[in-house]
């Protein structure tokens, strides 16, 4: 049994999902898990005597212009390391979490090993603000072990930061109990979708990098040829401009804005195709969620997406911004029942074989054993 602290952004986002699901699976295997986060992780839905939650509280002293969250986190980490005698502190994101963990390790008396998982946004931050470069590099180099969620992200990290630290690639996974095809013959009808209409789905946080406008433009081209509806799940900065685009293109009756949703697998289960046309994506966890629910995906040939979608086998890859190509593959897939069936089956098999949660959790355990010197 190991005592493992986990820090992540607890709100919606793939990194928070992975960190929380990993914690719950490690607890099921008999490890004691201590979440150290600013609020209760939204995916933390299992009651277990092996799972603890330590909230980071930020005091608003009038002397500080900005509340020092990072220092409050480091202090809480050090307190938990010493009181609970943590073996491992697994942090998701180098900035600021690995930096806080390093500070906590310096403050704490108990010896703890730091494992950092990179999810991509650290590297994206550098595009906006290169002054953080040295700090992110420090966070990576001072960690006892570092993992990245795709080969692409590991390479990009080395290229952009010049780190010499070994970065192990451990892919993302889904909780197979949540993500499986769920038959509900009435759900499509409840949304007012006719049985013969095809359903295309997109799920994201509507940030600019997600290029939701390309999803809508692709859908317009599909919709010209095939009776179909588009489900847009999520919310974020681009939401209003996407609403306007849908209106301008005369698609208001065919595009449903569902906002943030919890029961994603139910919605995936009434979908025939998933579109993720991002300009940056270190992995694209939503692709794997779709594949586990037997939904084939069309994604852009960027970042880690080609490591998730096998072109022509489990879905299709298109060049960034090429909505003609995306529509072409979508129409081909949606108008050929046998092909759709085959690609859906392949997607499920790949999700189970390449990205199975037990296989991925084992890879994290191997990393923990390695830093602890356990063979
Ligand atoms: O994509 C986002 O905006 C959220 C971000 C996060 O922190 O969850 O996602 C990143 O981590 C996910 C989990 O590893 C990956 O599946 C996403 O591809 C990655 N996002 C980007 O690289 C833009």
């Amino acid at each position: 049994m190991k005592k493992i602290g986990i820090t992540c952004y607890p709100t919606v986002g793939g990194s928070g999902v992975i960190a929380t699901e990993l914690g719950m699976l490690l607890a099921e295997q008999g490890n004691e898990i201590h979440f150290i986060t600013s609020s209760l992780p939204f995916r933390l839905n299992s009651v277990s005597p092996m799972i603890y939650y330590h909230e980071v509280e930020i005091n608003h002293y009038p002397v500080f212009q900005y509340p020092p969250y990072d220092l409050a986190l480091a202090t809480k980490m050090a307190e938990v390391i010493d009181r609970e005698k943590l073996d491992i502190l697994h942090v998701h994101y180098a900035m600021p979490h690995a930096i806080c963990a390093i500070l906590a390790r310096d403050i704490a008396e108990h010896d703890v090993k730091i494992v950092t998982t990179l999810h991509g946004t650290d590297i994206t931050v550098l595009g906006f603000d290169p002054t953080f470069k040295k700090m992110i590099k420090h966070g990576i180099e001072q960690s006892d072990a570092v993992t990245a969620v795709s080969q692409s992200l590991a390479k990009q990290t080395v290229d952009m930061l010049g780190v010499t630290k070994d970065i192990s690639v451990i892919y993302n996974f889904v909780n197979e109990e949540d993500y499986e095809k769920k038959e509900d013959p009435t759900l499509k009808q409840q949304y007012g979708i006719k049985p013969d209409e095809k359903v295309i789905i997109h799920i994201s946080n509507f940030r600019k990098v997600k290029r939701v406008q390309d999803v809508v433009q692709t859908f317009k081209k599909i919709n010209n040829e095939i009776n179909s509806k588009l489900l847009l799940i999520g919310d974020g900065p681009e939401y209003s401009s996407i609403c306007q685009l849908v209106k301008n293109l005369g698609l208001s009756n065919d595009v449903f804005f569902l906002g943030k949703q919890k029961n994603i697998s139910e919605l995936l289960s009434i979908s025939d195709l998933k579109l993720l046309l991002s300009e940056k994506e270190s992995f694209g966890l939503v692709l794997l969620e779709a594949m586990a629910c037997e939904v084939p995906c069309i994604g852009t040939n960027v970042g880690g997406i080609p490591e998730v979608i096998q072109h022509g086998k489990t879905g299709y890859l298109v060049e960034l911004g090429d909505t003609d190509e995306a529509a072409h593959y979508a129409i081909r897939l949606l108008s050929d029942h046998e092909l759709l069936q085959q690609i859906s089956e392949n997607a499920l098999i790949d999700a189970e074989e390449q990205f199975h949660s037990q296989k991925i959790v084992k890879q994290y355990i191997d990393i923990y054993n390695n830093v602890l010197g356990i063979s």
Side-chain angles (χ1 to χ4, degrees):
M1 190 269 276
K2 294 181 188 61
K3 293 187 170 200
I4 304 164
I6 295 182
T7 292
C8 62
Y9 286 118
T11 48
V12 187
S15 58
V17 172
I18 291 297
T20 314
E21 294 288 355
L22 176 63
M24 292 192 291
L25 288 172
L26 288 166
E28 267 175 32
Q29 295 187 9
N31 298 290
E32 192 176 291
I33 303 301
H34 294 266
F35 285 100
I36 311 170
T37 47
S38 55
S39 59
L40 198 66
F42 80 106
R43 270 290 177 88
L44 190 55
N45 53 15
S46 75
V47 180
S48 158
M50 301 305 276
I51 298 180
Y52 297 79
Y53 162 58
H54 309 269
E55 186 168 284
V56 182
E57 285 162 55
I58 310 163
N59 291 322
H60 292 264
Y61 299 113
V63 70
F64 296 126
Q65 190 177 359
Y66 305 107
Y69 170 72
D70 302 345
L71 299 182
L73 174 61
T75 308
K76 180 61 91 180
M77 282 172 163
E79 187 188 309
V80 178
I81 291 169
D82 277 340
R83 193 180 53 237
E84 306 296 342
K85 307 273 177 280
L86 295 185
D87 301 301
I88 301 280
L89 181 51
H90 188 167
V91 295
H92 295 259
Y93 281 123
M95 203 189 93
H97 297 152
I99 303 295
C100 298
I102 290 159
L103 183 56
R105 183 180 60 190
D106 288 348
I107 299 167
E109 282 162 23
H110 178 75
D111 186 23
V112 69
K113 302 292 178 203
I114 298 170
V115 175
T116 297
T117 291
L118 305 173
H119 288 274
T121 311
D122 309 82
I123 296 305
T124 314
V125 164
L126 286 179
F128 293 107
D129 195 339
T131 55
F132 285 121
K133 190 170 172 173
K134 277 194 169 171
M135 199 171 67
I136 298 176
K137 195 173 173 195
H138 184 74
I140 290 173
E141 282 176 343
Q142 294 304 310
S143 297
D144 294 287
V146 179
T147 75
V149 298
S150 62
Q151 302 281 356
S152 153
L153 179 60
K155 182 176 180 313
Q156 214 188 349
T157 306
V158 171
D159 291 349
M160 286 182 80
L161 294 171
V163 286
T164 49
K165 184 102 192 158
D166 189 36
I167 300 177
S168 309
V169 173
I170 302 188
Y171 287 134
N172 284 335
F173 64 93
V174 294
N175 178 336
E176 289 84 9
E177 281 173 23
D178 287 345
Y179 286 92
E180 58 173 6
K181 198 170 178 70
K182 297 192 171 98
E183 301 291 350
D184 179 349
T186 66
L187 191 59
K188 205 167 155 178
Q189 195 191 350
Q190 284 175 45
Y191 278 100
I193 305 171
K194 298 194 189 85
D196 64 328
E197 282 178 318
K198 297 291 183 197
V199 179
I200 294 140
I201 190 167
H202 168 81
I203 306 169
S204 78
N205 52 15
F206 282 62
R207 290 200 295 129
K208 247 191 163 51
V209 288
K210 303 292 174 179
R211 303 270 289 232
V212 187
Q213 71 276 25
D214 287 0
V215 171
V216 173
Q217 295 288 5
T218 301
F219 174 70
K220 173 138 184 80
K221 291 171 192 170
I222 300 169
N223 193 249
N224 286 340
E225 305 279 325
I226 288 179
N227 277 338
S228 51
K229 299 286 187 225
L230 172 66
L231 306 182
L232 291 177
I233 319 287
D235 201 348
E238 293 293 294
Y239 197 88
S240 308
S241 76
I242 298 302
C243 289
Q244 193 55 52
L245 177 66
V246 166
K247 215 168 155 192
N248 295 347
L249 293 175
L251 291 171
S252 297
N253 292 330
D254 293 324
V255 178
F256 300 169
F257 288 87
L258 303 188
K260 286 183 187 170
Q261 294 279 329
K262 259 191 182 273
N263 300 323
I264 299 292
S265 54
E266 273 85 347
L267 292 164
L268 283 167
S269 298
I270 59 164
S271 303
D272 301 286
L273 175 67
K274 157 80 148 271
L275 295 178
L276 186 70
L277 304 176
S278 314
E279 63 187 50
K280 278 199 178 82
E281 206 70 67
S282 63
F283 184 90
L285 182 59
V286 286
L287 297 170
L288 194 54
E289 292 174 348
M291 287 162 65
C293 293
E294 300 172 46
V295 182
C297 303
I298 296 178
T300 34
N301 192 12
V302 302
I305 293 180
E307 292 171 60
V308 185
I309 297 177
Q310 289 188 48
H311 183 68
K313 190 177 170 208
T314 63
Y316 294 97
L317 294 169
V318 298
E319 291 313 309
L320 177 64
D322 196 342
T323 57
D324 281 342
E325 203 188 4
H328 161 78
Y329 283 127
I331 293 165
R332 192 160 115 194
L333 202 53
L334 296 174
S335 47
D336 182 340
H337 180 72
E338 261 175 42
L339 180 67
L340 184 63
Q341 192 86 0
Q342 187 59 59
I343 302 265
S344 306
E345 271 173 35
N346 293 348
L348 175 65
I349 292 169
D350 211 41
E352 285 175 344
E353 285 180 357
Q354 254 223 93
F355 305 101
H356 198 280
S357 59
Q358 292 307 329
K359 179 174 165 178
I360 304 298
V361 171
K362 160 101 178 46
Q363 292 173 4
Y364 279 114
I365 292 172
D366 288 346
I367 295 274
Y368 299 158
N369 285 340
N370 203 20
V371 294
L372 291 170
I374 303 168
S375 50

